[in-house]
Amino acid sequence: MRRLAARGAAGDAGEVAPPAADSTDCAPGRSPSPCRLIDLCAIWDAGVFLPAAVAAAWKGAPSGVPRRRLNEAETLSSVQKAQLQRLEAARPRGPGSGDRGPVPRMARQQPPPWVHAAILFSLLSLSTAIEIPMDLSQPPTITKQSVKDHIVDPRDNILIECEAKGNPAPSFHWTRNSRFFNIAKDPRVSMRRRSGTLVIDFRSGGRPEEYEGEYQCFARNKFGTALSNRIRLQVSKSPLWPKENLDPVVVQEGAPLTLQCNPPPGLPSPVIFWMSSSMEPITQDKRVSQGHNGDLYFSNVMLQDMQTDYSCNARFHFTHTIQQKNPFNLKVLTNHPYNDSSLRNHPDMYSARGVAERTPSFMYPQGTASSQMVLRGMDLLLECIASGVPTPDIAWYKKGGDLPSDKAKLENFNKALRITNVSEEDSGEYFCLASNKMGSIRHTISVRVKAAPYWLDEPKNLILAPGEDGRLVCRANGNPKPTVQWMVNGEPLQSAPPNPNREVAGDTIIFRDTQISSRAVYQCNTSNEHGYLLANAFVSVLDVPPRMLSPRNQLIRVILYNRTRLDCPFFGSPIPTLRWFKNGQGSNLDGGNYHVYENGSLEIKMIRKEDQGIYTCVATNILGKAENQVRLEVKDPTRIYRMPEDQVAQRGTTVQLECRVKHDPSLKLTVSWLKDDEPLYIGNRMKKEEDSLTIFGVAERDQGSYTCVASTELDQDLAKAYLTVLADQATPTNRLAALPKGRPDRPRDLELTDLAERSVRLTWIPGDDNNSPITDYVVQFEEDQFQPGVWHDHSKFPGSVNSAVLQLSPYVNYQFRVIAINEVGSSHPSLPSERYRTSGAPPESNPSDVKGEGTRKNNMEITWTPMNATSAFGPNLRYIVKWRRRETRETWNNVTVWGSRYVVGQTPVYVPYEIRVQAENDFGKGPEPDTVIGYSGEDYPRAAPTDVKIRVLNSTAISLQWNRVYSDTVQGQLREYRAYYWRESSLLKNLWVSQKRQQAGFPGDRLRGVVSRLFPYSNYKLEMVVVNGRGDGPRSETKEFTTPEGVPSAPRRFRVRQPNLETINLEWDHPEHPNGILIGYTLKYVAFNGTKVGKQIVENFSPNQTKFTVQRADPVSRYRFSLSARTQVGSGEAVTEESPAPPNEATPTAAYTNNQADIATQGWFIGLMCAIALLVLILLIVCFIKRSRGGKYPVREKKDVPLGPEDPKEEDGSFDYSDEDNKPLQGSQTSLDGTIKQQESDDSLVDYGEGGEGQFNEDGSFIGQYTVKKDKEETEGNESSEATSPVNAIYSLA
């Protein structure tokens, strides 16, 4: 947001900016003009600010004029300024592109502008014009000149620049208005030393206007004359404003008003702005604004507009003065004479003030249509200012298309549309729509784009050796089409002396068999009614031995795995041949990872560590040779291996963004941070460390994207993360977020417009996006000739587009449909559009994938991929097939085919053919096809490899060697030499083996190979054959070999059993593949208990033993066993097992948790619950029997121990049963469902009595103590200290 605010501050018309600190506007010695001037210094000192547009005019250049682009030639070092190409043969000569280090790796985001500049620099170095070293003779070249339209300040001396180089140094003279300008006759005019720059001095008097006119500079030496542009000199003018007395402007409230400025015409045009007479800026909005012509427009006048006056101000660039027009005073007639400020924000302000509402009408431009012409490359400014009540809104549209979003910008509260860098496709009809609640009106502006001449192929200097040929090309375009005029040494070519070696062909001059006398400077002037272009190009004829133009022994550092180019700038005539060598050894570097350009630059496609070293370039021509060396160092790339991650943080917390980097230690690393792609200011709440960025007390303003930039002097890496800051109470901000999302509805109302021969514009109306924005549109087409009913994807467009120009192919009957896509999915296709058939044309391409292969030994089948409907371009598509034997120069055979294959019969076995397949339709033939090499059919090879030698490498591999067969016996393309081998038997007795044949292939024309994965200790047989595309040839002599003994495979079915806690039994079977004679088994085992490991024990067994018992040292430890078999060669693969865990080795906590979780399903728990239920039932029966008897029962004997404070009161040790006892005990709790819950668990029947005295009588009846509450007082005072049991509760209920 900060970056956007800064941009707005510089561009909004209503904002202000002070003049630059180094401005010379307040410099002393300036004499004021007699017109009404304003002391700008006093204004600024007083704190009065001008609009930003006026502040821009205070700069040294006019507002909106871009800064001078850096001359590309100035950015090139002398290494890159050498000769680069020969125009005649389009061959570069001189330096190529020196990447001078790697292209930086731009991780996870778009490259910064300097990377594009580096790429542009690389391209420029291949296309810059040829330059001759200054110590060699050469014609003049203009190096600096004034602009074509040269406007000067009348108070300063006049300077008209013209500088040139050449050998010998050129002399200069000038013309004025196409006539020789005699500098010596005018004392005010002088020419700078060693330059052609004119200086006109007015310190001794004189009028600058006397020197206005058109000037042209001529630079001449004995080899030719170069010309500057025609420079039109004009003196800046700041005319006075005519004096006038302005009457007050009377206007009805709500009516439109235009205050005209009509500034005096100046050169250049002045900058216009409106202020009050007290130098206060006029506030502008969509109701009151300044037009491009300087007038001030009121869409409707309000009463508050009388509070100030209005003065038009004109700021003149060269004089740095502001002229002020007499102010306008407004008198507003109103039905509501009181200017109540509270009505300004009234929702219906106009009705509240009694102003009648009305539909919009245009104040500028007038009428409903107008036209405008603009030159290519300029800015197009369209303006619509409308009146109305309420104030209308302005919207802009282009008929039949969209506004160019990349270069269109709305200005002046949407009243102006600016399109920068206009091109031909910006022509058409634009319209502005002014609307308010009363209605709308539109104005159509027809835009025509013309063009001053612009270069397509600018002539370049031509350097030739005696006897060579060359050409100068001058090709330009414009609207209207420009004319081309050639000159030589400043004179028309028609009037120059005839030259038999020179031929003019329109925009090209051809030179043949050039000689030293052919040296000259040629001028190409191309012009139309909108301007002209003038270019100089010299022809120089030299005999020069090769010379190197760059410093010797340069050091170039590059990044690993990057592409780089080593330059070796040189000069010579004739063109030297350049070769490269590495470390002074080997052959010329070209091919593979190296590529040598025609200009001599060596490109290394992917830098590796082994590419480091010294590279030598050698330039040679018939006059000699020269060489230079470049030392290349390879550095590791800079990589961010731990990138910052997206984070969501609460306001006030601390956030840390990591950025850990790996880089080459010989390079200096710099780590910096960007926020929202702008440099991050590290304040006191932030801490930047080597590998992280910490933000303390995160605030809302910290939200945004953070980019870590790790850079060295050679490369850089970027990683970006987004920080989201949440407020203390997160509140939903998007009401649509909760709405269900769905696929978009299908687009509708497809319309075809702008019908052209190869294009059409398709427009559609988007369907509902169903709460998920549309991201893309896919346009599909169907044609009814080749694949009717089949839809194909044509193109894809962003979701913000609903109109697009589709490129079409000739002779296709198109219909289109559109599919909308959002994050949920794709819509149903729209209904098809109407059909549109394009006109036919000859094919512009030929079928692809052309092949010639034999299907039999005496034929060749030519096949190709047929062209589809969009490539046919016309009816009756067919193919002209041509073929002939390669390198025989025989005539072409041809046939016309309608399908996609043709078989040529009666061919020799496997001979090469040249093949061409050309498309043709009823409108004509396609372009000349490429020649493809095919081969006729193959036959089986006629010979087998000879002198096959076998060498045993180890127990599982052998090495083969053989003699190659003669090429004529292959009878086809040699695919491979193939070995067939099989296991004949094993050296072990009674061991069955599979004799299945296996094969090993050795592609290409090889003489040796290795066969692996053999079985040890076995007898093998082997045969060799030659294989081509047809199949195998005859087999060679069968060879036998034996593999030595190897190590066995692992023992099979290794079993570990633990019958008790004292012993462990081990059993195993013999290995599946002994691979030799077994001599025993080795068992290694070790005891372990958790992390504790005991000492390893090793046991060796005989080859027949397959069982072993281990005595455990303790019942807790477990054992890990490793068993392997042995032969004489050594031990084989081991198999590993562990003893089972003891049954009591379980985690108590885990067991307890499991029991708690699954207790309800355990059998013992269910049984216990059944037993308790049965016991309760028995007790209920007993209780019922005893209660039916009634009376008192002694409970216990009186004790001497006094009762506690909570013991119930007893009178005689007996318990009286009554109906009042049918209630819960006071010590029990009643649940929500009315049942009674016990407070504590009772573990035994003893607890149902009092302490330990509860017991059974001799007859088996249970005697317990119960508490009875006789009344409310007893209930409150006599509470039992006994634990209430379920039995007590049951008795109480009974």
Side-chain angles (χ1 to χ4, degrees), residues 66 135 355 384 526 553 605 792 917 967 1126 1134 1287:
D135 60 329
V355 177
C384 281
T526 175
N553 302 320
K605 299 177 182 178
H792 308 273
V917 180
S967 58
R1126 304 192 313 274
V1287 180

Side-chain angles (χ1 to χ4, degrees), residues 967-1191:
S967 58
D968 58 344
T969 65
V970 177
Q971 299 196 111
Q973 181 182 7
L974 176 62
R975 298 290 180 89
E976 64 179 12
Y977 288 93
R978 184 178 296 168
Y980 289 99
Y981 59 94
W982 62 95
R983 190 181 182 190
E984 187 72 16
S985 63
S986 173
L987 295 180
L988 295 173
K989 295 182 179 179
N990 301 324
L991 181 64
W992 179 87
V993 297
S994 172
Q995 295 185 344
K996 180 180 178 181
R997 286 177 175 254
Q998 296 174 285
Q999 67 183 40
F1002 310 102
D1005 191 12
R1006 299 170 57 180
L1007 299 178
R1008 58 181 56 86
V1010 174
V1011 178
S1012 58
R1013 302 181 68 178
L1014 302 174
F1015 286 99
Y1017 213 53
S1018 301
N1019 295 317
Y1020 277 89
K1021 290 185 178 180
L1022 179 144
E1023 298 172 344
M1024 294 282 296
V1025 297
V1026 177
V1027 181
N1028 64 11
R1030 188 74 184 274
D1032 295 358
R1035 301 179 184 271
S1036 69
E1037 178 186 358
T1038 301
K1039 297 288 184 178
E1040 297 183 357
F1041 63 93
T1042 301
T1043 54
E1045 193 172 6
V1047 297
S1049 61
R1052 292 180 296 168
R1053 292 189 286 275
F1054 185 31
R1055 305 174 292 282
V1056 178
R1057 294 187 176 91
Q1058 184 173 292
N1060 51 54
L1061 298 179
E1062 288 79 23
T1063 61
I1064 300 175
N1065 295 333
L1066 309 178
E1067 296 183 11
W1068 63 89
D1069 293 343
H1070 295 299
E1072 181 180 5
H1073 301 290
N1075 294 336
I1077 300 175
L1078 289 180
I1079 62 173
Y1081 295 94
T1082 299
L1083 174 68
K1084 299 178 182 179
Y1085 62 96
V1086 62
F1088 65 93
N1089 186 1
T1091 59
K1092 298 181 179 179
V1093 181
K1095 182 179 180 181
Q1096 179 175 280
I1097 301 175
V1098 179
E1099 300 281 353
N1100 291 316
F1101 309 118
S1102 67
N1104 296 323
Q1105 183 173 347
T1106 58
K1107 296 182 180 179
F1108 183 68
T1109 300
V1110 177
Q1111 299 295 326
R1112 294 175 64 103
D1114 60 79
V1116 178
S1117 298
R1118 296 178 63 189
Y1119 287 82
R1120 184 178 294 112
F1121 302 95
S1122 176
L1123 179 68
S1124 61
R1126 304 192 313 274
T1127 62
Q1128 292 291 346
V1129 178
S1131 296
E1133 179 185 357
V1135 57
T1136 302
E1137 293 289 345
E1138 292 184 357
S1139 63
N1144 61 346
E1145 188 177 330
T1147 304
T1149 303
Y1152 174 77
T1153 304
N1154 187 59
N1155 291 340
Q1156 290 295 320
D1158 301 335
I1159 190 171
T1161 62
Q1162 301 298 317
W1164 64 267
F1165 179 78
I1166 297 174
L1168 177 61
M1169 291 298 100
C1170 293
I1172 292 175
L1174 181 61
L1175 180 60
V1176 170
L1177 180 61
I1178 295 173
L1179 290 176
L1180 285 173
I1181 296 173
V1182 172
C1183 176
F1184 179 79
I1185 295 173
K1186 288 184 174 293
R1187 176 161 185 172
S1188 64
R1189 297 176 183 178

Side-chain angles (χ1 to χ4, degrees), residues 9 30 48 60 105-106 126-127 141 151 173 218 233 236 290 320 339 342 354 395 458 539 657 933 998 1065 1115 1176 1236:
R30 294 286 190 183
V48 179
R105 171 179 177 257
M106 303 306 297
L126 285 177
S127 60
T141 302
I151 303 176
H173 73 270
F218 293 73
L233 179 66
S236 174
Q290 177 185 319
H320 300 288
N339 187 14
S342 63
E458 184 178 2
V539 176
L657 300 172
I933 303 302
Q998 296 174 285
N1065 295 333
V1176 170
I1236 300 172

Side-chain angles (χ1 to χ4, degrees), residues 783-802:
E783 53 83 27
D784 57 0
Q785 182 176 357
F786 289 88
Q787 292 179 301
V790 179
W791 290 90
H792 308 273
D793 287 349
H794 183 282
S795 47
K796 192 174 184 179
F797 300 98
S800 59
V801 170
N802 72 326

Side-chain angles (χ1 to χ4, degrees), residues 85-122:
Q85 60 181 4
R86 287 298 290 269
L87 295 179
E88 174 194 2
R91 292 181 297 166
R93 172 199 279 182
S97 169
D99 282 351
R100 302 303 181 211
V103 175
R105 171 179 177 257
M106 303 306 297
R108 311 159 192 85
Q109 95 172 23
Q110 292 293 331
W114 61 267
V115 175
H116 299 293
I119 298 173
L120 176 62
F121 174 80
S122 172

